[in-house]
Amino acid sequence: MAVATVAALLAALGGALWLAARRFLGPSVQRLHGSEHSSFMHGKTVLITGANSGLGRATAAELLRLGARVIMGCRDLERAEEAAGQLRRELRQAGGPEPGPSSGGAGELVVKHLDLASLRSVRAFCQEMLQEEPQLDVLINNAGIFQCPYMKTEDGFEMQFGVNHLGHFLLTNLLLGLLKSSAPSRIVVVSSKLYKYGDINFEDLNSEQSYNKSFCYSRSKLANILFTRELAHRLEGTNVTVNVLHPGIVRTNLGRHIHIPLLVKPLFNLVSWAFFKTPLEGAQTSIYLASSPEVEGVSGKYFGDCKEEELLPKAMDESVARKLWDISEVMVGILK
Ligand SMILES: NC(=O)C1=CN([C@@H]2O[C@H](COP(=O)(O)OP(=O)(O)OC[C@H]3O[C@@H](n4cnc5c(N)ncnc54)[C@H](OP(=O)(O)O)[C@@H]3O)[C@@H](O)[C@H]2O)C=CC1
Ligand SMILES: CC1=C(/C=C/C(C)=C/C=C/C(C)=C/C=O)C(C)(C)CCC1
């Protein structure tokens, strides 16, 4: 008995040490562009949706470090300004590019209001973008909502489909002219491996007949991929590329709607701390697709860990992609 107890204690201690070593000594993020600071993205304007938290925030921090001018499209201006203040402080402390009249926008961070659960807000945001921004080099469709209770957007769409797919669908379409006139330019779409469990059930896109929060998240992430592939076809010859990625499992605020009993929360926190990617690790593929010369001209592809990956046939079905595009145009009211 005593031997078994000691063995169990040693195993627990070994496990804890292994986890700590993995976190603290393991390969931290290999910065894609080598040096601590670089002017790699100097002169480029990047728009990131949901940039106040998680992957979007980490993507913004890194692209700023590389010299980009970053526009944060966020639904809550208070949270966004707070994140922007922190990002500016971090950049200054790290000796990054100092924005100013002669910096050409390098290291400049701009906050704009964008609620993807409101078509009115998306339209107002795009109108402001078109009035104020002469150029847009990279659009990163990053914002997302995960497994929320049944809710509808302002326009009556199921929330996850409405925010993750339809809001970004309208946003991208309204900004396409600016992206084309700024070419070569890029669109990066953040999806998820969980697309595998979704289907585009055209007969109930608003989930009025039945609602399953996991299925609806997966459906919205499958829609992200089908959208990317259809858009890539439509953008052939324009020098505007569009690619989609999955970031892995990342420790962010995405799980906010998952109910965990208070007593077991510390355990979940420990597990996520040990096994999930950090936001900076998870953001690497977004940063790669937004900035790397390796993917210049590459379009319509699916990436994970900065490498192209294969898709299931359902994510490559061209007729479903076209039908989803047509229906999305009607739903957001841009049918010509
Ligand atoms: N974390 C993970 O393991 C994975 C994440 N992903 C994807 O990564 C992306 C980023 O998520 P992540 O960083 O993890 O999660 P976070 O919850 O940390 O960030 C999501 C961001 O989206 C914003 N957002 C939510 N709803 C809206 C809306 N209606 N209008 C505008 N912005 C909105 C949030 O704003 P606010 O802070 O105001 O709520 C927040 O800024 C998502 O698309 C997600 O599906 C994919 C696979 C795995
Ligand atoms: C970090 C964390 C949580 C988990 C979040 C999860 C599990 C998010 C998973 C997101 C995925 C896999 C999205 C894929 O697209 C808890 C348990 C809520 C609370 C403790 C902190």
Side-chain angles (χ1 to χ4, degrees):
M1 187 62 187
V3 175
T5 310
V6 171
L9 279 173
L10 281 177
L13 187 66
L17 282 174
W18 178 77
L19 289 178
R22 190 177 164 274
R23 258 283 151 256
F24 293 121
L25 306 174
S28 58
V29 179
Q30 283 216 326
R31 289 220 139 103
L32 291 165
H33 301 289
S35 68
E36 249 320 289
H37 300 290
S38 118
S39 54
F40 207 79
M41 290 295 283
H42 200 115
K44 308 267 189 211
T45 296
V46 181
L47 165 60
I48 307 174
T49 66
N52 62 290
S53 171
L55 292 165
R57 189 192 183 286
T59 306
E62 197 66 354
L63 293 175
L64 278 175
R65 192 184 67 84
L66 295 173
R69 175 170 175 274
V70 174
I71 302 171
M72 304 167 66
C74 300
R75 66 171 160 177
D76 185 309
L77 283 180
E78 207 173 304
R79 279 200 287 269
E81 287 296 356
E82 197 186 322
Q86 279 170 4
L87 286 170
R88 288 187 194 107
R89 275 192 297 281
E90 284 168 20
L91 190 69
R92 221 174 302 124
Q93 276 161 13
E98 198 61 54
S102 59
S103 72
E108 192 187 329
L109 198 51
V110 179
V111 171
K112 285 188 193 288
H113 183 256
L114 168 65
D115 182 355
L116 291 153
S118 156
L119 297 181
R120 192 165 42 104
S121 169
V122 176
R123 287 185 184 281
F125 173 86
C126 291
Q127 203 175 355
E128 193 182 315
M129 281 289 295
L130 298 181
Q131 270 163 10
E132 294 178 3
E133 298 296 328
Q135 154 191 353
L136 179 61
D137 303 281
V138 184
L139 164 64
I140 306 183
N141 288 345
N142 163 84
I145 181 161
F146 176 67
Q147 297 197 2
C148 54
Y150 189 65
M151 286 191 259
K152 283 189 167 178
T153 67
E154 189 176 286
D155 308 277
F157 308 135
E158 183 280 312
M159 186 60 76
Q160 300 186 74
F161 192 69
V163 169
N164 300 355
H165 170 61
L166 289 172
H168 282 116
F169 178 85
L170 179 62
L171 177 81
T172 310
N173 272 285
L174 296 180
L175 295 177
L176 267 188
L178 185 56
L179 285 156
K180 283 180 187 166
S181 65
S182 311
S185 53
R186 301 178 182 195
I187 303 166
V188 177
V189 178
V190 183
S191 178
S192 162
K193 262 194 177 164
L194 294 181
Y195 85 85
K196 293 179 182 176
Y197 306 102
D199 270 310
I200 309 295
N201 54 338
F202 288 104
E203 74 292 347
D204 191 21
L205 287 179
N206 282 330
S207 305
E208 274 154 355
Q209 289 158 28
S210 69
Y211 180 64
N212 175 317
K213 60 187 180 181
S214 315
F215 169 82
C216 286
Y217 179 75
S218 294
R219 175 177 69 178
S220 74
K221 292 287 135 180
L222 174 61
N224 288 158
I225 300 175
L226 292 165
F227 162 73
T228 300
R229 291 179 57 82
E230 175 64 22
L231 182 58
H233 284 307
R234 291 172 185 247
L235 288 175
E236 270 165 28
T238 62
N239 234 340
V240 183
T241 61
V242 54
N243 291 292
V244 60
L245 68 106
H246 75 82
I249 302 181
V250 192
R251 196 179 148 80
T252 66
N253 292 322
L254 196 69
R256 69 188 83 184
H257 293 291
I258 302 178
H259 175 70
I260 309 275
L262 212 60
L263 277 176
V264 267
K265 211 154 192 178
L267 182 66
F268 276 91
N269 273 322
L270 183 70
V271 169
S272 69
W273 174 80
F275 293 108
F276 288 18
K277 289 183 180 178
T278 64
L280 182 58
E281 287 167 342
Q284 290 306 299
T285 310
S286 298
I287 298 159
Y288 173 73
L289 291 175
S291 65
S292 173
E294 276 175 32
V295 282
E296 191 86 67
V298 173
S299 197
K301 305 291 187 207
Y302 174 65
F303 288 79
D305 289 329
C306 303
K307 286 189 281 294
E308 193 188 329
E309 289 188 9
E310 289 207 344
L311 283 165
L312 292 182
K314 69 172 158 189
M316 296 193 292
D317 188 322
E318 293 187 3
S319 69
V320 174
R322 218 169 307 121
K323 189 169 170 192
L324 175 65
W325 186 282
D326 292 344
I327 286 183
S328 302
E329 277 188 337
V330 175
M331 290 177 92
V332 303
I334 53 168
L335 192 64
K336 277 146 221 144

